[in-house]
Amino acid sequence: MNRLTGEGKFVTNLVNPLQQVSQLPIPVGVLGFGGLGQAAAKVLAPKQQIQWVVAADQKGFAVDPSGLDVQRAIATYQTQGSLGYLEPEGTLSTQSIADLIQQSQNVAGFFLALPNLPNTFMASVAQQFIEIGWQGVLIDAIKRTSAVEQLVDLGSQLAAAGITYITGCGATPGLLTAAAALAAQSYAEVHQVKITFGVGIANWDAYRATIREDIAHLPGYDVETARAMTDAEVEALLDKTQGILSLEDMEHADDVILEMAGICGRDRVTVGGVVDTRHPQKPLSTNVQVTGRTFEGKISTHTFTLGDETSMAANVCGPAFGYLKAGILLHQQGLCGLLTSAQVMPQFVS
Amino acid sequence: MNRLTGEGKFVTNLVNPLQQVSQLPIPVGVLGFGGLGQAAAKVLAPKQQIQWVVAADQKGFAVDPSGLDVQRAIATYQTQGSLGYLEPEGTLSTQSIADLIQQSQNVAGFFLALPNLPNTFMASVAQQFIEIGWQGVLIDAIKRTSAVEQLVDLGSQLAAAGITYITGCGATPGLLTAAAALAAQSYAEVHQVKITFGVGIANWDAYRATIREDIAHLPGYDVETARAMTDAEVEALLDKTQGILSLEDMEHADDVILEMAGICGRDRVTVGGVVDTRHPQKPLSTNVQVTGRTFEGKISTHTFTLGDETSMAANVCGPAFGYLKAGILLHQQGLCGLLTSAQVMPQFVS
C-alpha cells in the first residue's frame, strides 16, 4: 500500500503536519469594518502568531505590512466613515475590495467580515479573489443556507485557483456546528440538532448589518426588504417588540454544513434564538443539543452551552481566526477547495 | 505567493479535499478484543463506509477481506478465549500483532483498542507497525500523559514510515478534549479545562483492563501494581468501596494534548471522575468545562455535557472511528506523522 510514495514525500519529515507554521507572525486581512470587522481587529491585536496587515470597507482600504494600529483604525472609521482616511495607510476607492486584493499577494488569509447583503455578496467576493489570481485562505461567518450553497458551487473553481475556503466559521454556523459535528460521533444515527442562541447587545446600531440580517428572518421580511430598511424603520420595528427579535426555524447554513459532513439530513437541523437589542445580557444561554441513537440502541442528547459572559463578537471572531489558522496550515500542505466548519478543527491562535 | 505551484497540483481538482474517499467500504482493523475491542466491532458492524476485516487479541488473530462476522467473533472469543479459534478466519499465534500486521497491507487503518499495560505498550505496538513497513492510519484511545509523550517522541519516525497516527481518540482524551479545544476558540486566554467523567458499568469484569487502568490512578497504586492484581484482589478492593472508584487529578493525556494544540499549559487541565462498577447508570454526567478570558476581558465558562444514556463504549468507539476516517482522508492527501484528537475534526462514519 505505497499510496504515499511520491505524493507524500514533501511531508515525511514533519512530526506534526498540522502544526507547522512557516513564519511568524503570519500576515492576515479583514474585509468589512462594521461591528464584526472592528471586533475582529480587536481580537487580532494581541496575537503573536498572526498579524493584521490589511483591511477594507465599502469606501476604502488600508495596508501596513508591519501591522495596522487597531485603535487608530477604529477611531478613523468611526469619525470619518472609512479606513481610506487612515494616514498614511489608507486609500479611498470605489472598488475597495478588488483594489485591496491586488495589493495582498503576501497576505496568507482573509476573514470576510462582510454583511451578506445581498445574499449573493459573499460568493461574488470569493469570485473576485479567484479572478485576480490571489492564492491563500478565505473564511467567512456567513449565515444563510442558500449563501453557503453558492460557495459550494464555487468549490472546484476555488480549488483550481489555489484557494482554501472554509465557510461558516462564526458562532452559528461555526463554533456550534462544529460542536454538533463532534457530539454526533457518539451516535450511530443522529436524530436532531437543535441550535438555540441568545444574543444581547447594548446598542443595535453597532451591528446594523447583522440586525438587518436577523430581521430578514422574521415573517413578512426577506433579505432584500430588510436591507432596504432605513435606520428609522429598524428603530420603529424594534420599538414595537421592546427591542427583542424572536427567531424560529431560521434559514441557517448549519443544516447544509452538517449534511455535507455526512452527519444528518438538513431537515433534522433547526436554528432559532432570541436577540435582545437593548441589553448586553443574553436573554437565554446559547446552546446546541444533539440527539441520537447509540450503537446499543440508547437515545440520548449531548449539550454544548456557551458561557453567558461571552459575547457574539467573541464567539464569532475567536473561532473565525481559529479556522483561518487551520486553513493556513492546510493550505501550506497544498489542500485547496471548499471546506466547512464541521470538517476542520479550528487551531487556537496565540 | 505561488506556494501551491507544483506541490498543490494533485488536489486542484478536488472540490473538498477532506471529503474524498477512494473506495467504499474502506477496510479497517481492530487490535485488542476485550470489552473495548468487542464494542468497537459492534460499532463497525452496521457501517457502510468502513468495514471490519482484521482483528487480533493476545493469543491469535482473524482475517477476512470480505468482512468479519461480529457475533461469531465475539462468541468465539468469549467461549474459547481467542479470535485465533475462529473458523476459518482465525490463526493462533504467540506474536499475534506482528503476524497480523504482516497480513494487513491492504488495511487502511487500525483502532488500537489495547490496554496500555505496561505504560510503554502502545508505543511498542506503533514501533512494530513502523518496523514491518506498514503504511496507513493508526488511532488509539490511550489515557496517560506519559504514554502520549512516548508516541510524540515517535512522531518523525511515524512520518518517515508513511503512518498517520492520531493519539487520544476515545472519550477522554478524545471527544472531551476536542470539545475543549473547540470551546477554547472563544477566549483570548484559557484559564482552566476541567474534565469530570461519570462511568457506570453493570459488571466490572467486562472491562478488566480498563478498571485496572483506573485503579492505577488511586493513591497507593501505580500501573505495575494495578496490572499485577488478580481478579480476586480487584473484587476485594471494589467490595471495600461499594464498587465505586473516585478519581481525582488523574495523569490524563488531555493535558499534554491541549498543550500541544497551543490552548493552555498542561497545569491548567484537570481530569477526575467517578466510576461505578456495579450499576450501568452514570454516577454523574460526564462534562468538560472550559474557562477563559475573552478579548473584551470577560471571564466565562463553556460547558459540554454528554447525555447520561451514552455509554463509555459509545463515547470511545464512536469518536475513535470518526478520527480513523479523518486520518484516512489526511493520509490520502499525503499527511503523515503524529497528530492528536485536539487538532483534527473527527469525520462522521455512516
Side-chain angles (χ1 to χ4, degrees):
Chain A
M1 198 177 59
N2 282 312
R3 290 183 301 205
L4 291 182
T5 315
E7 284 186 7
K9 236 188 301 181
F10 68 94
V11 289
T12 49
N13 290 320
L14 305 183
V15 174
N16 181 337
L18 294 187
Q19 213 171 44
Q20 306 296 319
V21 176
S22 60
Q23 60 184 122
L24 295 175
I26 296 173
V28 301
V30 175
L31 293 194
F33 210 61
L36 193 57
Q38 292 173 41
K42 287 182 198 165
V43 166
L44 281 176
K47 301 293 187 193
Q48 304 295 309
Q49 296 182 321
I50 58 180
Q51 186 174 36
W52 182 48
V53 297
V54 296
D57 56 47
Q58 272 189 305
K59 299 176 197 159
F61 61 92
V63 176
D64 187 343
S66 64
L68 287 162
D69 183 286
V70 176
Q71 300 309 326
R72 208 157 51 79
I74 291 175
T76 301
Y77 181 87
Q78 289 180 347
T79 55
Q80 295 177 267
S82 174
L83 291 164
Y85 292 105
L86 204 60
E87 286 290 347
E89 306 91 340
T91 306
L92 291 165
S93 166
T94 53
Q95 42 171 11
S96 56
I97 291 177
D99 285 354
L100 181 61
I101 298 171
Q102 295 281 5
Q103 299 196 27
S104 298
Q105 297 306 308
N106 293 313
V107 177
F110 280 91
F111 174 23
L112 310 183
L114 298 162
N116 189 44
L117 297 171
N119 197 40
T120 53
F121 188 54
M122 211 66 78
S124 74
V125 171
Q127 202 99 50
Q128 286 186 65
F129 277 95
I130 294 170
E131 280 160 15
I132 291 168
W134 181 87
Q135 296 193 322
V137 182
L138 301 177
I139 57 144
D140 65 40
I142 211 167
K143 287 192 238 162
R144 284 192 180 254
T145 305
S146 47
V148 165
E149 286 172 325
Q150 293 164 38
L151 290 163
V152 172
D153 290 342
L154 285 179
S156 50
Q157 287 182 61
L158 288 163
I163 292 172
T164 305
Y165 192 120
I166 311 181
T167 187
C169 298
T172 168
L175 180 57
L176 295 172
T177 334
L182 203 52
Q185 306 299 321
S186 296
Y187 301 109
E189 186 188 19
V190 173
H191 295 163
Q192 193 190 34
V193 176
K194 187 177 177 189
I195 292 173
T196 310
F197 63 80
V199 171
I201 49 181
N203 301 295
W204 80 270
D205 58 355
Y207 290 93
R208 281 180 288 202
T210 302
I211 293 299
R212 282 184 175 79
E213 285 194 60
D214 287 338
I215 288 172
H217 289 283
L218 292 175
Y221 292 86
D222 65 19
V223 175
E224 291 312 314
T225 55
R227 183 193 183 199
M229 289 172 83
T230 64
D231 283 5
E233 285 168 337
V234 172
E235 200 65 61
L237 171 65
L238 293 175
D239 272 344
K240 276 195 246 169
T241 64
Q242 282 76 47
I244 299 286
L245 295 172
S246 287
L247 306 160
E248 280 171 38
D249 246 330
M250 301 167 76
E251 185 207 331
H252 242 242
D254 308 85
D255 62 357
V256 62
I257 289 173
L258 290 171
E259 186 173 271
M260 283 171 63
I263 286 160
C264 61
R266 65 180 73 188
D267 56 308
R268 298 186 176 191
V269 181
T270 62
V271 179
V274 178
V275 180
D276 186 339
T277 62
R278 294 182 180 173
H279 303 93
Q281 292 78 25
K282 294 187 185 187
L284 57 87
S285 296
T286 298
N287 70 86
V288 54
Q289 295 183 298
V290 180
T291 300
R293 178 181 52 76
T294 69
F295 77 102
E296 296 142 319
K298 304 277 187 186
I299 310 289
S300 193
T301 301
H302 290 348
T303 308
F304 180 63
T305 308
L306 302 186
D308 284 345
E309 302 81 4
T310 58
S311 64
M312 178 179 69
N315 291 319
V316 170
C317 298
F321 289 114
Y323 282 109
L324 185 59
K325 181 177 167 186
I328 290 168
L329 294 168
L330 291 172
H331 192 261
Q332 286 174 351
Q333 304 287 343
L335 300 188
C336 301
L338 186 88
L339 292 160
T340 76
S341 51
Q343 295 170 304
V344 177
M345 183 68 77
Q347 307 289 316
F348 193 74
V349 183
S350 48
Chain B
M1 198 179 58
N2 281 312
R3 290 183 300 203
L4 291 183
T5 315
E7 283 186 6
K9 238 187 301 181
F10 69 94
V11 289
T12 50
N13 289 322
L14 305 184
V15 175
N16 182 339
L18 294 187
Q19 215 172 40
Q20 305 296 318
V21 177
S22 60
Q23 59 183 124
L24 294 175
I26 296 173
V28 301
V30 175
L31 293 193
F33 210 61
L36 194 56
Q38 292 173 41
K42 288 181 197 164
V43 167
L44 281 176
K47 301 293 187 193
Q48 302 294 312
Q49 296 181 320
I50 59 180
Q51 186 174 34
W52 182 48
V53 297
V54 296
D57 57 46
Q58 272 188 304
K59 299 178 198 157
F61 61 91
V63 176
D64 186 344
S66 65
L68 287 162
D69 183 286
V70 175
Q71 300 309 329
R72 208 157 50 79
I74 291 175
T76 302
Y77 181 87
Q78 288 180 348
T79 53
Q80 295 178 265
S82 173
L83 291 164
Y85 293 105
L86 204 60
E87 286 291 346
E89 306 91 340
T91 307
L92 291 167
S93 165
T94 53
Q95 43 171 11
S96 56
I97 291 177
D99 285 352
L100 180 62
I101 299 170
Q102 295 281 5
Q103 299 196 26
S104 298
Q105 297 307 307
N106 291 315
V107 177
F110 279 92
F111 175 23
L112 310 183
L114 298 161
N116 188 43
L117 297 171
N119 198 39
T120 53
F121 187 54
M122 211 66 78
S124 75
V125 170
Q127 202 98 51
Q128 287 186 65
F129 277 95
I130 295 170
E131 281 160 16
I132 291 168
W134 181 87
Q135 295 193 322
V137 181
L138 300 177
I139 55 142
D140 65 40
I142 210 166
K143 288 194 236 163
R144 285 194 178 251
T145 305
S146 48
V148 165
E149 286 172 326
Q150 294 164 37
L151 289 162
V152 172
D153 290 343
L154 286 179
S156 50
Q157 286 182 61
L158 288 163
I163 292 171
T164 304
Y165 192 120
I166 311 180
T167 187
C169 297
T172 166
L175 179 58
L176 296 171
T177 333
L182 203 52
Q185 306 298 323
S186 295
Y187 301 109
E189 186 188 20
V190 172
H191 295 162
Q192 194 189 32
V193 176
K194 187 177 179 191
I195 292 173
T196 310
F197 62 79
V199 171
I201 47 181
N203 300 296
W204 80 270
D205 57 356
Y207 289 93
R208 282 179 288 203
T210 302
I211 293 299
R212 281 184 174 79
E213 284 194 62
D214 287 338
I215 290 172
H217 290 282
L218 293 174
Y221 292 85
D222 65 20
V223 175
E224 291 313 315
T225 55
R227 183 194 183 198
M229 289 172 82
T230 63
D231 283 4
E233 285 168 338
V234 172
E235 199 66 60
L237 170 65
L238 293 175
D239 271 345
K240 275 195 247 171
T241 65
Q242 282 77 49
I244 300 286
L245 295 172
S246 286
L247 305 160
E248 281 173 36
D249 246 330
M250 300 167 77
E251 184 207 330
H252 241 242
D254 307 85
D255 61 356
V256 63
I257 288 173
L258 290 170
E259 186 172 271
M260 283 171 64
I263 285 160
C264 62
R266 64 180 74 187
D267 55 309
R268 297 185 176 189
V269 181
T270 61
V271 179
V274 177
V275 181
D276 186 338
T277 61
R278 293 183 180 173
H279 303 93
Q281 293 77 25
K282 293 188 186 189
L284 56 86
S285 295
T286 298
N287 69 87
V288 54
Q289 295 183 298
V290 180
T291 301
R293 178 181 52 76
T294 69
F295 77 102
E296 295 143 319
K298 304 277 186 187
I299 310 288
S300 193
T301 301
H302 289 350
T303 307
F304 180 62
T305 307
L306 302 187
D308 285 345
E309 301 81 6
T310 58
S311 64
M312 177 179 70
N315 291 317
V316 169
C317 298
F321 289 114
Y323 282 109
L324 185 60
K325 180 177 169 187
I328 289 168
L329 294 169
L330 292 171
H331 192 262
Q332 285 175 350
Q333 302 288 342
L335 300 187
C336 301
L338 186 89
L339 292 159
T340 75
S341 51
Q343 296 171 304
V344 176
M345 183 68 75
Q347 308 289 317
F348 193 75
V349 183
S350 49

